[in-house]
Amino acid sequence: METQILQNQHFQISEETSKRITSLRFLLIVLVVFIHANLKADDALNYYKLDFIQPKWIEIVKNFISGTLGGAAVPLFFLFASYIQFSKKDKYVCLLRKRSKSILLPYILWTVITIILYLIAQSIPQTALFFQNPNNIIKNWNILDYLKAFSYHDFSMGLKSPLVYQFWFLRELMIFIVLSPIFVLMCKKFGGGVLVLISVFAITGTPLYFTVSTSAFFFYLAGYYFATYEIDFFKIADKLKITEYIVLLILSEIFSVCFGGKYSWGFVKIIISCLFFLKLSKYLVANEKLFLKLKYLSGYSFFLYAVHTPFLGTSINKISWKIIPLHGIMCLVQFFVAALLTIIIGTSIGIILNKICPPLFKLLNGGRK
């Protein structure tokens, strides 16, 4: 997301909106890291065979951070990307050329890097122990496995993800961008009815064949409507106080704990979390010193997003499981230690690379500064 004023002959993104988007970029990626650092009891006991005893209250705290708060991260990135795309009104060919550089090229490069790192790690006896997922043993791959690494490598957890599994977002975004002229025609013909229909699909969890996430498609379409009708979603979020959003978030978590198995509540929680962070951005921008730090870190948000997993995060998580006993409060300690180390190390690698080899950093960062 650019930080300067984005404009075209009909409409422009204001400086305040641009700043508020910038203020959230790194924070939302931090939440993504916490999502992937959350070790679930089922995985710990049945997949990793760990000695794992986690109290219910710790599970709730971890799920509140990675699930309730973290649930806003990817939807807001879809919203921001779409809003900027449709506000700028680039010609289709120009749009594809720009996104090939900022999305497709880093998608390919990071996947190739991850394959190479896996191959190296699996060839060293001391590190091979940490990379024994049978789906990821590179020396056993055939041509189809290599192709799947760039598309639909992993079918676990109900999510069809590539080898660099957080890149499902980039894959879906690129698909949406390619199909965007069709979506625009639909929205022009049927108006707001398209968004209402997709919201029903998102609430009920009804799948769409061209995307693995109906809620992601909802937020992408929402970005189109906000840009086309010049609606400021930050002003919508500002209508409630930050304390009111906190109460709503706590109530939504209580409802999920008590009735999550009976009612479909996930999409509603996502909406509340998104509004909370949109509101929070007002305070982040108001604090000039804090905003300048967040603006600096926002330049490394994509790099952290790309580098944090599966290789870096997997290594840190698995090492921390061996060092930190996963009993009681230590389950929460491990959660924070693993996530924070991944954030610090991943961001530091980006900062160092940008200083010693700016062209390489820019290439891996999709041309973002």
Side-chain angles (χ1 to χ4, degrees):
M1 267 71 76
E2 294 85 348
T3 56
Q4 68 271 27
I5 298 177
L6 303 166
Q7 58 185 358
N8 57 67
Q9 58 182 348
H10 301 296
F11 176 54
Q12 70 175 21
I13 296 178
S14 69
E15 184 176 8
E16 180 187 2
T17 297
S18 183
K19 283 184 174 181
R20 291 180 72 165
I21 290 174
T22 299
S23 72
L24 290 174
R25 288 176 63 197
F26 189 78
L27 177 59
L28 294 176
I29 293 299
V30 164
L31 288 172
V32 172
V33 176
F34 273 98
I35 291 172
H36 295 144
N38 187 8
L39 178 62
K40 302 293 178 98
D42 185 57
D43 290 334
L45 296 171
N46 300 320
Y47 183 77
Y48 295 110
K49 310 298 182 183
L50 299 172
D51 181 15
F52 186 78
I53 303 175
Q54 177 174 266
K56 183 65 178 180
W57 72 269
I58 291 180
E59 178 185 347
I60 293 172
V61 170
K62 289 167 64 176
N63 287 341
F64 180 76
I65 295 171
S66 63
T68 300
L69 296 179
V74 173
L76 282 178
F77 277 123
F78 274 111
L79 175 66
F80 296 157
S82 173
Y83 183 70
I84 291 173
Q85 173 193 335
F86 291 110
S87 294
K88 295 183 72 174
K89 292 184 172 67
D90 286 328
K91 298 294 185 182
Y92 185 62
V93 174
C94 178
L95 173 67
L96 293 183
R97 185 173 64 250
K98 287 182 178 180
R99 294 303 173 260
S100 294
K101 179 181 178 181
S102 63
I103 298 176
L104 185 59
L105 181 57
Y107 185 102
I108 294 171
L109 290 175
W110 280 105
T111 303
V112 171
I113 290 171
T114 301
I115 291 173
I116 293 172
L117 289 175
Y118 265 116
L119 185 60
I120 293 173
Q122 290 163 3
S123 302
I124 302 173
Q126 290 80 2
T127 57
L129 179 66
F130 296 101
F131 300 93
Q132 291 302 309
N133 184 331
N135 292 329
N136 298 337
I137 305 299
I138 308 300
K139 66 179 182 180
N140 296 336
W141 280 9
N142 54 36
I143 300 237
L144 181 60
D145 291 320
Y146 280 100
L147 293 176
K148 286 166 61 179
F150 291 88
S151 55
Y152 296 95
H153 171 75
D154 187 2
F155 286 75
S156 64
M157 298 180 292
L159 181 67
K160 303 181 182 93
S161 61
L163 176 64
V164 186
Y165 49 82
Q166 72 273 26
F167 276 8
W168 74 267
F169 161 75
L170 298 182
R171 182 195 62 206
E172 301 296 285
L173 181 58
M174 200 68 197
I175 291 172
F176 292 164
I177 290 169
V178 171
L179 297 177
S180 60
I182 298 174
F183 301 151
V184 170
L185 288 175
M186 291 170 52
C187 293
K188 286 182 177 179
K189 183 174 179 60
F190 299 105
V194 177
L195 192 63
V196 173
L197 178 63
I198 299 303
S199 70
V200 173
F201 288 163
I203 292 170
T204 59
T206 305
L208 298 170
Y209 73 93
F210 59 87
T211 176
V212 300
S213 174
T214 311
S215 65
F217 185 48
F218 170 86
F219 281 93
Y220 182 82
L221 280 185
Y224 163 79
Y225 284 101
F226 284 131
T228 302
Y229 296 101
E230 302 183 19
I231 301 171
D232 189 337
F233 43 82
F234 285 107
K235 287 185 179 180
I236 294 174
D238 288 345
K239 292 184 181 297
L240 290 183
K241 298 178 181 178
I242 195 73
T243 52
E244 293 173 326
Y245 282 120
I246 292 173
V247 171
L248 285 173
L249 286 169
I250 293 172
L251 289 176
S252 69
E253 188 64 27
I254 293 173
F255 187 91
S256 294
V257 172
C258 297
F259 307 106
K262 187 176 180 180
Y263 300 100
S264 179
W265 183 251
F267 186 68
V268 177
K269 284 176 64 177
I270 288 173
I271 295 292
I272 295 172
S273 298
C274 288
L275 290 170
F276 166 74
F277 282 105
L278 292 175
K279 175 68 174 185
L280 180 64
S281 68
K282 180 178 182 179
Y283 300 96
L284 299 178
V285 170
N287 188 320
E288 187 174 351
K289 290 184 178 179
L290 177 59
F291 172 71
L292 290 176
K293 292 177 181 177
L294 290 171
K295 181 180 178 181
Y296 172 76
L297 290 172
S298 72
Y300 298 95
S301 56
F302 181 86
F303 189 90
L304 175 60
Y305 165 73
V307 78
H308 87 274
T309 196
F311 196 84
L312 178 62
T314 297
S315 303
I316 292 174
N317 274 304
K318 290 187 175 181
I319 291 172
S320 69
W321 298 341
K322 290 186 174 296
I323 296 175
I324 302 174
L326 299 176
H327 291 178
I329 189 68
M330 298 308 291
C331 293
L332 190 61
V333 171
Q334 183 276 327
F335 172 64
F336 279 103
V337 167
L340 292 175
L341 280 177
T342 301
I343 293 164
I344 293 169
I345 294 173
T347 306
S348 298
I349 293 172
I351 293 172
I352 293 170
L353 181 61
N354 193 24
K355 290 186 179 297
I356 64 176
C357 190
L360 178 58
F361 171 80
K362 188 174 182 181
L363 185 66
L364 294 174
N365 210 37
R368 298 167 182 83
K369 297 180 181 179

